[in-house]
Structure formats: C-alpha cells, structure tokens
Amino acid sequence: MKRIEREKVIRNAYRTTVLVLTACCIFLGVLLVVHEMAREAEVSALERDLEAKGVVRNDEGLYSSVELFLPEKIYVATGVTIEIYNNQISSLGERMENYNVKWTCAVGKNMQRKFSVTGTEDLIGTYPLIFTIFDDNGAQVATASTELNIVPALQESFSMLTIGDSLSCNTATYERLNELTGGEIIYMGTRGVGGSLTEARRGFSAANYLTATGYEMEEPYEDVHPFYNEETGSFDWDYYKETTGFDPDMIQLFLGTNGLDVDPAENGDNIVRIVKEIHEDDPDLPIYLVHTLYPANQDGIGSWNNNGYALYADRYKYEEDQKVFHLMTYLEATLSDEPNLYFVPAGMCNDSANNFDTVEVPVNPHSDETEEVPSDAVHPGRAGYEQIADCLYSVICGTKAEWSE
C-alpha cells in the first residue's frame, strides 16, 4: 500500500515538473518572440533614421552614407558645353570631396570635380555615362548611370511661356537662349524681363501660384496673379489662356527655391499639382520642368543680408544642399510617368562653387588681407544663368521632335 502511494506521489511530482517545464518553455518562447519583435522594430526605426540622413544600403547590404542620382537622359546640343558637378548629384553635397570618384564615358572629360562634354557634329549619338565612388581602400561604394545624348542644335521658331520665381527673372537666361536659337523663340507672358515676356515673380513659390496671391515686388502690381480663377478658386490654365490670349507651344516651369524644406513633399506636391492642372486642360502641351539651383557656399549663405538683417540666419550649406537634392529626386520619382513632361537638370549642371558673384571683404576687421565672399546665396551671376539656358536649350533640342509638327 505504501509502495502504491509512493508511486502515486512520484507520478504527480513528475506531472507537475513536466507542467512547470512546459510553462517555462512557453514563457521563454513568448519572451524570445517579444524580444525579436522589439529588435526588428528597433532596426526598422534605425533604418528610417539612417535613410532620413541620406545613409543608404548598397547591394551587399552594407550601409553607406552616399545617395546618388542621375536622370535617365542627359542632353547636350552641338555647340554647347554641359557639365555635371560631383557635389550636386548626391545628398552628400560638399562631403563628396572625401571620396574618390570617376566618370566613365567614351566622350567628354572625367575631371576632378565634374564631368564636362562639348557637343560637336562628329560626336552626335548616344553614350553610356557612369559615375562611380570608391573609398580609400579602392572598394566601390556606390554608382549611378545615365544615357548621354549629343544632339543637333536647332534654330526653329517656337513660343515659350515661363512660370517661375526670381531665378527666371534674369535677362542673361533669355539673352543666351536668343543667342543659341538665333532669336527664334517667341516669349509669352504678362510680365517682362528685359525684352522677353514671362510669368516669373520674385519670391513666388508653387503654393503662391495655386492660391489667390497678389504681387507687389515690382510693377505692374497685381491683386492676384493671372493663373488664378476667382470663380473656381483654383489655378486654371484654360482661364489663363482665355483672359490673356497666350497659347504657347511649350512651358518652362522653374520653381522650387521658395518653399524648400528638409521634407520635399509639400513643395514638391505643389509643383506636381501645377503640372497636373495644366495637363488636365492641355494634355499635349510640353512642360519643361527645371530643377532648382544649389545655393552658394556657407560664406554666401551666412552673409546674405538685407540692410544688415540676415536672410538665411540659421541655415547651413549641407542641409540646404540636401533640400535641393531631395526635391529633385522627389519630383523625378513622382512625375516619372507624366506624359509630355521633360526634366531639365539645371541644378546639377550649374557651377554653384564658382557662379555666384563675389565681393572682397577683410578676413577679419583689422586685417589688410581680403577674401572673396559670395554676395548672394540663391541667385548666381551671369555665368549661372547662361548655364541654365544651355541646359534648357539642350533638352529642347533633344526632345522637340516629340511634340512639334
């Protein structure tokens, strides 16, 4: 009897032990699952933070603080020199100088800070163009490629309407376009830049064109710009054509500097909306979307002022470059499938290191030694506007056959 009771006690103890061990295993399993989920959430959060800072993962799964962008095609008209600047095809900006880089192409010049190519009749054709970054050990960090198209120069008549901001208000752009086209462009708009008509307004952003915004920075003053239909309360392309009588062959849309932000979505979406609104009324109208420019160096950004009041008081070069880069890539991605839209890569093709006018200032208040400091953070000198014109003209030469009769 005692033996039976003892065996019963042993069996109960065994069952209890098994139940306890099972419960422990279940608990440990749940704990491991929770831990793994927490780890994955932490990794995801880290990846988002890294991505927000421009740190991306390469094909081997290794992290690299390099994000590159080249458009699908680069156009170069004969008689024109187009340059692509290393610092302006990456979210790194001037930090690109810490890497070893090269351009690979059958034509053009693989230079220290840029790729440069001059279009000639003998070189007309299409060429692969590859940009590669290496670390100090010679290991490839990142690469980007595009199709370089050297195309014949055109001098054919067409009409153009420019919707823009102050970067479209300099006569040098239109004078260079006239030189390249033999004066064949017919400019349209209610405002004038030198002898050329435009719809460019200083200080305007895409948001201003979408709302009932007046203009008083220069004559003629406006209670509201002519694209805004007060009856519908919206940007209205048909309304603009009916009230002004202008019906251009193409549009140059050059916005983005006003409204730049670390997050490009709001500014970019406003630009996209203008494109969509125009194409809603006029789907076959070609729009040439010009990417905005990179700013001057930190001395230009930090010293730009109005009667002593700082205009860019809290801004710094690296972040401003990232704003431009990410707006460019956002627009390219968002509008990649938009018909009758052509991107003009002026941002990466303008020499922001050298195109800003400068003034001589003492290196310190009591020194006779001086240094050159950009006098403006946003608006380049004449050479910058001429490079914009070269870039726009080249894209037109390479694409006009797609929309002209």
Side-chain angles (χ1 to χ4, degrees):
M1 193 72 179
K2 290 182 178 179
R3 184 173 62 81
I4 294 173
E5 290 179 354
R6 187 167 57 251
E7 289 177 355
K8 190 175 183 180
V9 169
I10 292 171
R11 282 197 301 271
N12 289 338
Y14 176 76
R15 290 190 188 118
T16 302
T17 303
V18 170
L19 288 172
V20 170
L21 289 173
T22 301
C24 289
C25 289
I26 292 172
F27 174 76
L28 289 172
V30 171
L31 189 63
L32 287 171
V33 169
V34 171
H35 176 74
E36 183 64 19
M37 291 174 64
R39 190 189 70 81
E40 289 179 357
E42 185 178 354
V43 169
S44 296
L46 177 60
E47 288 179 343
R48 288 194 298 270
D49 289 342
L50 290 171
E51 184 177 357
K53 295 175 182 177
V55 179
V56 296
R57 191 161 49 183
N58 62 20
D59 293 338
E60 289 74 34
L62 302 175
Y63 283 99
S64 169
S65 56
V66 177
E67 185 179 355
L68 299 179
F69 174 77
L70 284 172
E72 184 179 344
K73 295 181 179 181
I74 296 285
Y75 292 99
V76 184
T78 55
V80 170
T81 297
I82 294 293
E83 296 187 334
I84 309 171
Y85 298 92
N86 302 349
N87 294 351
Q88 292 162 203
I89 62 169
S90 169
S91 60
L92 287 177
E94 293 177 335
R95 300 183 186 186
M96 179 69 76
E97 296 167 6
N98 296 327
Y99 292 86
N100 304 296
V101 304
K102 71 172 182 179
W103 291 92
T104 304
C105 191
V107 298
K109 302 174 183 177
N110 168 32
M111 304 179 75
Q112 181 175 349
R113 67 184 188 94
K114 63 187 180 183
F115 175 78
S116 179
V117 59
T118 301
T120 66
E121 296 287 340
D122 292 340
L123 295 180
I124 289 175
T126 301
Y127 307 89
L129 174 61
I130 304 168
F131 181 74
T132 311
I133 304 176
F134 303 91
D135 64 20
D136 287 338
N137 296 318
Q140 180 176 308
V141 174
T143 186
S145 62
T146 184
E147 181 182 278
L148 180 69
N149 291 265
I150 299 179
V151 297
L154 299 178
Q155 291 194 339
E156 301 173 359
S157 180
F158 62 91
S159 57
M160 179 176 77
L161 185 143
T162 296
I163 303 173
D165 50 35
S166 56
L167 289 174
S168 303
C169 288
N170 193 287
T171 59
T173 301
Y174 307 102
E175 289 169 358
R176 176 60 175 163
L177 285 172
N178 290 337
E179 178 185 345
L180 291 167
T181 63
E184 289 294 319
I185 299 178
I186 302 167
Y187 298 99
M188 294 183 172
T190 60
R191 310 195 65 83
V193 177
S196 306
L197 296 177
T198 75
E199 291 293 352
R201 290 166 177 82
R202 302 178 192 277
F204 256 47
S205 66
N208 293 130
Y209 281 107
L210 293 170
T211 54
T213 308
Y215 186 66
E216 296 182 351
M217 289 194 69
E218 56 195 353
E219 295 183 347
Y221 301 140
E222 299 167 343
D223 293 330
V224 63
H225 63 83
F227 296 98
Y228 190 78
N229 185 340
E230 296 190 65
E231 290 186 6
T232 61
S234 64
F235 181 102
D236 190 332
W237 175 244
D238 276 348
Y239 170 81
Y240 173 85
K241 290 196 296 182
E242 291 167 6
T243 55
T244 64
F246 294 125
D247 190 5
D249 294 324
M250 59 154 287
I251 286 178
Q252 177 192 190
L253 182 61
F254 192 176
L255 293 166
T257 289
N258 301 307
L260 275 177
D261 203 347
V262 173
D263 182 351
E266 181 177 354
N267 194 17
D269 287 345
N270 287 331
I271 295 172
V272 170
R273 185 176 162 192
I274 291 176
V275 172
K276 299 289 188 181
E277 294 283 358
I278 293 172
H279 276 166
E280 179 70 23
D281 293 337
D282 211 341
D284 295 327
L285 181 63
I287 299 175
Y288 287 77
L289 196 161
V290 183
H291 288 308
T292 198
L293 305 186
Y294 285 84
N297 63 25
Q298 186 58 46
D299 287 341
I301 292 171
S303 60
W304 195 29
N305 70 88
N306 182 15
N307 296 321
Y309 291 94
L311 296 175
Y312 274 12
D314 61 343
R315 304 193 189 189
Y316 60 101
K317 174 66 171 169
Y318 174 62
E319 186 175 69
E320 294 305 300
D321 283 353
Q322 283 203 321
K323 292 177 184 178
V324 174
F325 178 81
H326 287 126
L327 177 62
M328 174 177 64
T329 56
Y330 184 86
L331 290 172
E332 292 265 353
T334 306
L335 290 168
S336 61
D337 296 324
E338 183 73 14
N340 299 309
L341 177 74
Y342 306 95
F343 292 105
V344 180
M348 64 178 66
C349 296
N350 172 63
D351 188 2
S352 65
N354 296 295
N355 276 348
F356 288 88
D357 291 338
T358 60
V359 293
E360 274 195 10
V361 299
V363 295
N364 67 60
H366 302 287
S367 176
D368 293 330
E369 185 179 349
T370 61
E371 60 182 343
E372 298 285 337
V373 172
S375 56
D376 193 304
V378 172
H379 309 96
R382 186 176 186 87
Y385 292 107
E386 290 182 342
Q387 278 194 306
I388 295 169
D390 287 349
C391 196
L392 173 61
Y393 173 71
S394 291
V395 179
I396 292 172
C397 289
T399 58
K400 188 173 183 290
E402 298 176 16
W403 51 266
S404 61
E405 295 180 357

